[in-house]
Amino acid sequence: MGDTQKTIGVLTGGGDCPGLNAVLRAIVKTAANKYNWKVIGIEDGFEGLIVEPVRCREMTPWNIRGILQRGGTILGTTNRGNPFAYVAPIQNGPRDVSGQVIQNLHKLGIDALIVIGGEGSLKIAQKFFEMGVPVVGVPKTIDNDLRRIELTFGFDTAVNTAMDALDKLHSTAESHHRVIVVEVMGRHAGWIALCAGMAGGADVILIPEIPFKWETIIQKVRERQNSPAKFSILVAGEGAKPLGGQEMYYSPGDPGGTARLGGIGQLVAETLTKALDVEARVTVLGHVQRGGSPTAFDRILATRFGFWAVELVAREKFGEMVTIYRTRMSSVPIRDAVESLKTVPTDGELVDTAEAVGICLGR
Ligand code: F6P
């Protein structure tokens, strides 16, 4: 047991992700059991520290019971609410309300803040660290696109969800001799598309890192439709684009939010229909990939991240983010992790394997 009573604040920011509750549970239990520290959960990411009165609640091992297997985050989250460019409901433009956040942290008596978030929330965490706030980061993203970390929790669950969809779509595509294009998440990184496509036996996988040639995928589908299989399954990462083309977007995004990728699946299906006179259908998996119960792998990883985050606070390693390297827990400066995105290496072993087993990547 630690003898200095501390109060830790914790928040979840950005898009939700299976395993967030498992991290929260591990933080609360480690803080209470190992150190006898108090944990205050901030609601809806940084937003909870911007609004007046602040939205937060004490978290104890008793009031967080039963959350390990639950998807989402019991604290709520938002991918708006950036305190450095905050857009309130009625106002003209973004405002810097970071000072207010720091004041509220003081008022709550928070000695250290654990930010569980993806690239966006961790960048905010880094700015607060530079302003003197003792911050520790926990990486979170189903996209698995953060640098300086091998694997993030939520990714395995998302890949399993997409794989399950591909398994189901196989039987209907085969029965109807159809082409089915499945659009998956991942923003500018193709990890979900590549891994789900490999696990789900896709014939074509399109990832943002490899702009695809129309003639290559048309040829692959032509061969498939003329083979005994007579059906094709294509997986397109939402950020995939044709050679010389641009990423496709559904909408420019909400004020203070980011633009929403989407539409490439539909374009691929329409182009194949025109080129080959095949019957094509599109399934956009969307947020189903972010929901649901985390896999065993993600629950364990998330629990290790939560424990390690508290350890970083105990060791006063502020400005650091929990990471896993060669299966061991450690930490890296948040600054390094958010410098650029971790994308799929186009000459890496995963891509080589996919191509060796006959998957067309469109090049
Ligand atoms: O970053 C996670 C992610 O699920 C991306 O894969 C996707 O593009 C985006 O978030 C969707 O965000 P929103 O929930 O705002 O639609």
Side-chain angles (χ1 to χ4, degrees), residues 15-16 79 140-143 145 184-188 192 238 254 258-261 286-287 289-290:
D16 69 341
N79 42 19
K140 165 263 18 156
T141 166
I142 62 161
D143 302 339
D145 59 356
V184 298
M185 282 185 166
R187 291 199 297 168
H188 315 294
I192 297 179
E238 60 186 351
D254 313 321
T258 43
R260 287 182 56 216
L261 282 158
H287 292 79
Q289 295 158 98
R290 287 236 300 263

PDB file of all heavy atoms in Angstrom, residues 15-16 79 140-143 145 184-188 192 238 254 258-261 286-287 289-290, ligand 1:
ATOM      1  N   GLY A  15     -13.048   8.444 -30.356  1.00  0.00           N
ATOM      2  CA  GLY A  15     -14.031   7.398 -30.627  1.00  0.00           C
ATOM      3  C   GLY A  15     -13.928   6.280 -29.611  1.00  0.00           C
ATOM      4  O   GLY A  15     -12.848   5.998 -29.115  1.00  0.00           O
ATOM      5  N   ASP A  16     -15.057   5.652 -29.276  1.00  0.00           N
ATOM      6  CA  ASP A  16     -14.980   4.573 -28.290  1.00  0.00           C
ATOM      7  C   ASP A  16     -14.323   3.345 -28.915  1.00  0.00           C
ATOM      8  O   ASP A  16     -14.038   3.324 -30.122  1.00  0.00           O
ATOM      9  CB  ASP A  16     -16.356   4.254 -27.705  1.00  0.00           C
ATOM     10  CG  ASP A  16     -17.268   3.605 -28.722  1.00  0.00           C
ATOM     11  OD1 ASP A  16     -16.996   3.732 -29.934  1.00  0.00           O
ATOM     12  OD2 ASP A  16     -18.249   2.962 -28.328  1.00  0.00           O
ATOM     13  N   ASN A  79     -15.475  12.927 -29.782  1.00  0.00           N
ATOM     14  CA  ASN A  79     -14.287  13.292 -30.559  1.00  0.00           C
ATOM     15  C   ASN A  79     -14.343  14.757 -30.982  1.00  0.00           C
ATOM     16  O   ASN A  79     -13.681  15.173 -31.904  1.00  0.00           O
ATOM     17  CB  ASN A  79     -13.993  12.343 -31.725  1.00  0.00           C
ATOM     18  CG  ASN A  79     -15.227  11.949 -32.474  1.00  0.00           C
ATOM     19  OD1 ASN A  79     -16.246  12.620 -32.376  1.00  0.00           O
ATOM     20  ND2 ASN A  79     -15.150  10.866 -33.222  1.00  0.00           N
ATOM     21  N   LYS A 140      -5.382   4.263 -27.301  1.00  0.00           N
ATOM     22  CA  LYS A 140      -6.651   3.591 -27.603  1.00  0.00           C
ATOM     23  C   LYS A 140      -7.008   3.819 -29.055  1.00  0.00           C
ATOM     24  O   LYS A 140      -7.064   4.970 -29.486  1.00  0.00           O
ATOM     25  CB  LYS A 140      -7.723   4.180 -26.673  1.00  0.00           C
ATOM     26  CG  LYS A 140      -9.114   3.930 -26.979  1.00  0.00           C
ATOM     27  CD  LYS A 140      -9.956   4.941 -27.725  1.00  0.00           C
ATOM     28  CE  LYS A 140      -9.418   6.053 -28.520  1.00  0.00           C
ATOM     29  NZ  LYS A 140     -10.303   6.554 -29.571  1.00  0.00           N
ATOM     30  N   THR A 141      -7.153   2.792 -29.835  1.00  0.00           N
ATOM     31  CA  THR A 141      -7.709   2.952 -31.180  1.00  0.00           C
ATOM     32  C   THR A 141      -7.950   1.592 -31.815  1.00  0.00           C
ATOM     33  O   THR A 141      -7.078   0.719 -31.752  1.00  0.00           O
ATOM     34  CB  THR A 141      -6.800   3.784 -32.117  1.00  0.00           C
ATOM     35  OG1 THR A 141      -7.246   3.608 -33.463  1.00  0.00           O
ATOM     36  CG2 THR A 141      -5.333   3.419 -32.050  1.00  0.00           C
ATOM     37  N   ILE A 142      -9.120   1.434 -32.421  1.00  0.00           N
ATOM     38  CA  ILE A 142      -9.350   0.179 -33.160  1.00  0.00           C
ATOM     39  C   ILE A 142      -8.498   0.175 -34.419  1.00  0.00           C
ATOM     40  O   ILE A 142      -8.241  -0.873 -34.988  1.00  0.00           O
ATOM     41  CB  ILE A 142     -10.837  -0.050 -33.542  1.00  0.00           C
ATOM     42  CG1 ILE A 142     -11.364   1.052 -34.469  1.00  0.00           C
ATOM     43  CG2 ILE A 142     -11.712  -0.219 -32.330  1.00  0.00           C
ATOM     44  CD1 ILE A 142     -12.616   0.647 -35.232  1.00  0.00           C
ATOM     45  N   ASP A 143      -8.054   1.370 -34.864  1.00  0.00           N
ATOM     46  CA  ASP A 143      -7.320   1.455 -36.135  1.00  0.00           C
ATOM     47  C   ASP A 143      -5.886   0.926 -36.022  1.00  0.00           C
ATOM     48  O   ASP A 143      -5.248   0.663 -37.039  1.00  0.00           O
ATOM     49  CB  ASP A 143      -7.256   2.921 -36.609  1.00  0.00           C
ATOM     50  CG  ASP A 143      -8.631   3.531 -36.781  1.00  0.00           C
ATOM     51  OD1 ASP A 143      -9.598   2.766 -36.938  1.00  0.00           O
ATOM     52  OD2 ASP A 143      -8.735   4.768 -36.755  1.00  0.00           O
ATOM     53  N   ASP A 145      -3.238   2.493 -35.361  1.00  0.00           N
ATOM     54  CA  ASP A 145      -2.372   3.341 -36.192  1.00  0.00           C
ATOM     55  C   ASP A 145      -1.457   4.260 -35.393  1.00  0.00           C
ATOM     56  O   ASP A 145      -0.976   5.267 -35.908  1.00  0.00           O
ATOM     57  CB  ASP A 145      -3.235   4.172 -37.160  1.00  0.00           C
ATOM     58  CG  ASP A 145      -4.229   5.069 -36.440  1.00  0.00           C
ATOM     59  OD1 ASP A 145      -4.304   4.995 -35.188  1.00  0.00           O
ATOM     60  OD2 ASP A 145      -4.944   5.836 -37.104  1.00  0.00           O
ATOM     61  N   VAL A 184     -14.508  -1.334 -44.580  1.00  0.00           N
ATOM     62  CA  VAL A 184     -14.204  -1.373 -43.148  1.00  0.00           C
ATOM     63  C   VAL A 184     -13.528  -0.077 -42.702  1.00  0.00           C
ATOM     64  O   VAL A 184     -13.050   0.709 -43.518  1.00  0.00           O
ATOM     65  CB  VAL A 184     -13.300  -2.598 -42.784  1.00  0.00           C
ATOM     66  CG1 VAL A 184     -14.001  -3.903 -43.086  1.00  0.00           C
ATOM     67  CG2 VAL A 184     -11.949  -2.519 -43.480  1.00  0.00           C
ATOM     68  N   MET A 185     -13.471   0.101 -41.385  1.00  0.00           N
ATOM     69  CA  MET A 185     -12.867   1.325 -40.829  1.00  0.00           C
ATOM     70  C   MET A 185     -11.344   1.270 -40.864  1.00  0.00           C
ATOM     71  O   MET A 185     -10.763   0.292 -41.309  1.00  0.00           O
ATOM     72  CB  MET A 185     -13.357   1.527 -39.396  1.00  0.00           C
ATOM     73  CG  MET A 185     -14.746   2.086 -39.304  1.00  0.00           C
ATOM     74  SD  MET A 185     -15.166   2.410 -37.572  1.00  0.00           S
ATOM     75  CE  MET A 185     -16.625   3.424 -37.798  1.00  0.00           C
ATOM     76  N   GLY A 186     -10.725   2.297 -40.342  1.00  0.00           N
ATOM     77  CA  GLY A 186      -9.256   2.317 -40.263  1.00  0.00           C
ATOM     78  C   GLY A 186      -8.644   3.644 -40.649  1.00  0.00           C
ATOM     79  O   GLY A 186      -7.427   3.791 -40.626  1.00  0.00           O
ATOM     80  N   ARG A 187      -9.493   4.581 -41.055  1.00  0.00           N
ATOM     81  CA  ARG A 187      -9.010   5.903 -41.494  1.00  0.00           C
ATOM     82  C   ARG A 187      -7.876   5.776 -42.510  1.00  0.00           C
ATOM     83  O   ARG A 187      -8.039   5.122 -43.522  1.00  0.00           O
ATOM     84  CB  ARG A 187      -8.581   6.746 -40.286  1.00  0.00           C
ATOM     85  CG  ARG A 187      -9.742   7.163 -39.426  1.00  0.00           C
ATOM     86  CD  ARG A 187      -9.390   8.322 -38.553  1.00  0.00           C
ATOM     87  NE  ARG A 187      -8.339   7.966 -37.613  1.00  0.00           N
ATOM     88  CZ  ARG A 187      -7.681   8.829 -36.876  1.00  0.00           C
ATOM     89  NH1 ARG A 187      -7.964  10.099 -36.949  1.00  0.00           N
ATOM     90  NH2 ARG A 187      -6.758   8.449 -36.036  1.00  0.00           N
ATOM     91  N   HIS A 188      -6.721   6.363 -42.223  1.00  0.00           N
ATOM     92  CA  HIS A 188      -5.659   6.397 -43.235  1.00  0.00           C
ATOM     93  C   HIS A 188      -4.708   5.207 -43.129  1.00  0.00           C
ATOM     94  O   HIS A 188      -3.671   5.175 -43.773  1.00  0.00           O
ATOM     95  CB  HIS A 188      -4.884   7.709 -43.121  1.00  0.00           C
ATOM     96  CG  HIS A 188      -5.798   8.886 -42.981  1.00  0.00           C
ATOM     97  ND1 HIS A 188      -6.643   9.289 -43.996  1.00  0.00           N
ATOM     98  CD2 HIS A 188      -6.062   9.699 -41.931  1.00  0.00           C
ATOM     99  CE1 HIS A 188      -7.352  10.322 -43.582  1.00  0.00           C
ATOM    100  NE2 HIS A 188      -7.028  10.581 -42.331  1.00  0.00           N
ATOM    101  N   ILE A 192      -6.929  -2.757 -40.217  1.00  0.00           N
ATOM    102  CA  ILE A 192      -8.170  -3.534 -40.047  1.00  0.00           C
ATOM    103  C   ILE A 192      -8.494  -4.242 -41.356  1.00  0.00           C
ATOM    104  O   ILE A 192      -8.802  -5.446 -41.377  1.00  0.00           O
ATOM    105  CB  ILE A 192      -9.364  -2.639 -39.606  1.00  0.00           C
ATOM    106  CG1 ILE A 192      -9.097  -2.025 -38.233  1.00  0.00           C
ATOM    107  CG2 ILE A 192     -10.669  -3.434 -39.590  1.00  0.00           C
ATOM    108  CD1 ILE A 192     -10.212  -1.109 -37.714  1.00  0.00           C
ATOM    109  N   GLU A 238     -11.678   2.136 -45.520  1.00  0.00           N
ATOM    110  CA  GLU A 238     -12.424   3.358 -45.868  1.00  0.00           C
ATOM    111  C   GLU A 238     -11.534   4.440 -46.481  1.00  0.00           C
ATOM    112  O   GLU A 238     -12.014   5.329 -47.176  1.00  0.00           O
ATOM    113  CB  GLU A 238     -13.154   3.901 -44.639  1.00  0.00           C
ATOM    114  CG  GLU A 238     -12.206   4.259 -43.502  1.00  0.00           C
ATOM    115  CD  GLU A 238     -12.903   4.670 -42.220  1.00  0.00           C
ATOM    116  OE1 GLU A 238     -14.133   4.859 -42.228  1.00  0.00           O
ATOM    117  OE2 GLU A 238     -12.209   4.814 -41.192  1.00  0.00           O
ATOM    118  N   ASP A 254     -18.662  17.325 -38.397  1.00  0.00           N
ATOM    119  CA  ASP A 254     -19.370  18.308 -37.569  1.00  0.00           C
ATOM    120  C   ASP A 254     -18.390  19.403 -37.169  1.00  0.00           C
ATOM    121  O   ASP A 254     -17.185  19.200 -37.208  1.00  0.00           O
ATOM    122  CB  ASP A 254     -19.862  17.646 -36.269  1.00  0.00           C
ATOM    123  CG  ASP A 254     -20.541  16.328 -36.554  1.00  0.00           C
ATOM    124  OD1 ASP A 254     -21.255  16.260 -37.559  1.00  0.00           O
ATOM    125  OD2 ASP A 254     -20.328  15.375 -35.773  1.00  0.00           O
ATOM    126  N   THR A 258     -13.981  15.747 -37.110  1.00  0.00           N
ATOM    127  CA  THR A 258     -13.160  15.473 -38.291  1.00  0.00           C
ATOM    128  C   THR A 258     -14.050  14.976 -39.431  1.00  0.00           C
ATOM    129  O   THR A 258     -15.142  14.456 -39.202  1.00  0.00           O
ATOM    130  CB  THR A 258     -12.098  14.391 -37.988  1.00  0.00           C
ATOM    131  OG1 THR A 258     -12.723  13.367 -37.223  1.00  0.00           O
ATOM    132  CG2 THR A 258     -10.930  14.952 -37.222  1.00  0.00           C
ATOM    133  N   ALA A 259     -13.533  15.120 -40.663  1.00  0.00           N
ATOM    134  CA  ALA A 259     -14.300  14.701 -41.830  1.00  0.00           C
ATOM    135  C   ALA A 259     -14.483  13.187 -41.804  1.00  0.00           C
ATOM    136  O   ALA A 259     -13.604  12.465 -41.341  1.00  0.00           O
ATOM    137  CB  ALA A 259     -13.553  15.123 -43.081  1.00  0.00           C
ATOM    138  N   ARG A 260     -15.643  12.717 -42.291  1.00  0.00           N
ATOM    139  CA  ARG A 260     -15.944  11.278 -42.236  1.00  0.00           C
ATOM    140  C   ARG A 260     -15.636  10.608 -43.560  1.00  0.00           C
ATOM    141  O   ARG A 260     -16.238  10.920 -44.590  1.00  0.00           O
ATOM    142  CB  ARG A 260     -17.421  11.084 -41.889  1.00  0.00           C
ATOM    143  CG  ARG A 260     -17.735  11.390 -40.439  1.00  0.00           C
ATOM    144  CD  ARG A 260     -19.196  11.132 -40.157  1.00  0.00           C
ATOM    145  NE  ARG A 260     -19.575   9.766 -40.500  1.00  0.00           N
ATOM    146  CZ  ARG A 260     -20.748   9.419 -41.022  1.00  0.00           C
ATOM    147  NH1 ARG A 260     -21.658  10.329 -41.268  1.00  0.00           N
ATOM    148  NH2 ARG A 260     -21.016   8.158 -41.294  1.00  0.00           N
ATOM    149  N   LEU A 261     -14.703   9.664 -43.510  1.00  0.00           N
ATOM    150  CA  LEU A 261     -14.353   8.903 -44.703  1.00  0.00           C
ATOM    151  C   LEU A 261     -15.488   7.951 -45.069  1.00  0.00           C
ATOM    152  O   LEU A 261     -16.212   7.466 -44.208  1.00  0.00           O
ATOM    153  CB  LEU A 261     -13.098   8.066 -44.425  1.00  0.00           C
ATOM    154  CG  LEU A 261     -11.766   8.808 -44.449  1.00  0.00           C
ATOM    155  CD1 LEU A 261     -10.727   8.050 -43.657  1.00  0.00           C
ATOM    156  CD2 LEU A 261     -11.304   9.002 -45.886  1.00  0.00           C
ATOM    157  N   GLY A 286     -19.076  -0.132 -40.744  1.00  0.00           N
ATOM    158  CA  GLY A 286     -19.269   1.043 -39.880  1.00  0.00           C
ATOM    159  C   GLY A 286     -19.032   0.779 -38.404  1.00  0.00           C
ATOM    160  O   GLY A 286     -18.146  -0.008 -38.019  1.00  0.00           O
ATOM    161  N   HIS A 287     -19.861   1.399 -37.578  1.00  0.00           N
ATOM    162  CA  HIS A 287     -19.597   1.429 -36.142  1.00  0.00           C
ATOM    163  C   HIS A 287     -19.802   0.104 -35.435  1.00  0.00           C
ATOM    164  O   HIS A 287     -19.465  -0.012 -34.256  1.00  0.00           O
ATOM    165  CB  HIS A 287     -20.434   2.535 -35.492  1.00  0.00           C
ATOM    166  CG  HIS A 287     -19.970   3.892 -35.921  1.00  0.00           C
ATOM    167  ND1 HIS A 287     -20.313   4.422 -37.138  1.00  0.00           N
ATOM    168  CD2 HIS A 287     -19.144   4.782 -35.322  1.00  0.00           C
ATOM    169  CE1 HIS A 287     -19.730   5.607 -37.262  1.00  0.00           C
ATOM    170  NE2 HIS A 287     -19.010   5.841 -36.185  1.00  0.00           N
ATOM    171  N   GLN A 289     -18.011  -2.202 -35.861  1.00  0.00           N
ATOM    172  CA  GLN A 289     -16.622  -2.602 -35.554  1.00  0.00           C
ATOM    173  C   GLN A 289     -16.127  -1.989 -34.247  1.00  0.00           C
ATOM    174  O   GLN A 289     -15.142  -2.432 -33.675  1.00  0.00           O
ATOM    175  CB  GLN A 289     -15.675  -2.138 -36.675  1.00  0.00           C
ATOM    176  CG  GLN A 289     -15.945  -2.825 -37.988  1.00  0.00           C
ATOM    177  CD  GLN A 289     -15.416  -2.015 -39.168  1.00  0.00           C
ATOM    178  OE1 GLN A 289     -14.350  -2.280 -39.663  1.00  0.00           O
ATOM    179  NE2 GLN A 289     -16.182  -1.030 -39.619  1.00  0.00           N
ATOM    180  N   ARG A 290     -16.778  -0.921 -33.810  1.00  0.00           N
ATOM    181  CA  ARG A 290     -16.323  -0.268 -32.577  1.00  0.00           C
ATOM    182  C   ARG A 290     -17.061  -0.790 -31.347  1.00  0.00           C
ATOM    183  O   ARG A 290     -16.660  -0.495 -30.214  1.00  0.00           O
ATOM    184  CB  ARG A 290     -16.556   1.239 -32.690  1.00  0.00           C
ATOM    185  CG  ARG A 290     -15.617   1.948 -33.618  1.00  0.00           C
ATOM    186  CD  ARG A 290     -14.892   3.072 -32.925  1.00  0.00           C
ATOM    187  NE  ARG A 290     -15.783   4.073 -32.400  1.00  0.00           N
ATOM    188  CZ  ARG A 290     -16.090   5.212 -33.025  1.00  0.00           C
ATOM    189  NH1 ARG A 290     -15.561   5.486 -34.195  1.00  0.00           N
ATOM    190  NH2 ARG A 290     -16.885   6.080 -32.470  1.00  0.00           N
TER     191      ARG A 290
HETATM  192  O1  F6P B   1     -10.537   6.159 -35.310  1.00  0.00           O
HETATM  193  C1  F6P B   1     -11.542   5.240 -35.079  1.00  0.00           C
HETATM  194  C2  F6P B   1     -12.630   5.332 -36.101  1.00  0.00           C
HETATM  195  O2  F6P B   1     -13.571   4.321 -35.840  1.00  0.00           O
HETATM  196  C3  F6P B   1     -12.152   5.290 -37.553  1.00  0.00           C
HETATM  197  O3  F6P B   1     -11.835   3.991 -37.972  1.00  0.00           O
HETATM  198  C4  F6P B   1     -13.324   5.931 -38.250  1.00  0.00           C
HETATM  199  O4  F6P B   1     -12.951   6.533 -39.458  1.00  0.00           O
HETATM  200  C5  F6P B   1     -13.758   6.982 -37.273  1.00  0.00           C
HETATM  201  O5  F6P B   1     -13.306   6.579 -36.000  1.00  0.00           O
HETATM  202  C6  F6P B   1     -15.246   7.200 -37.237  1.00  0.00           C
HETATM  203  O6  F6P B   1     -15.503   8.235 -36.352  1.00  0.00           O
HETATM  204  P1  F6P B   1     -16.968   8.683 -35.936  1.00  0.00           P
HETATM  205  O7  F6P B   1     -17.355   7.839 -34.757  1.00  0.00           O
HETATM  206  O8  F6P B   1     -16.802  10.097 -35.579  1.00  0.00           O
HETATM  207  O9  F6P B   1     -17.890   8.449 -37.086  1.00  0.00           O
END
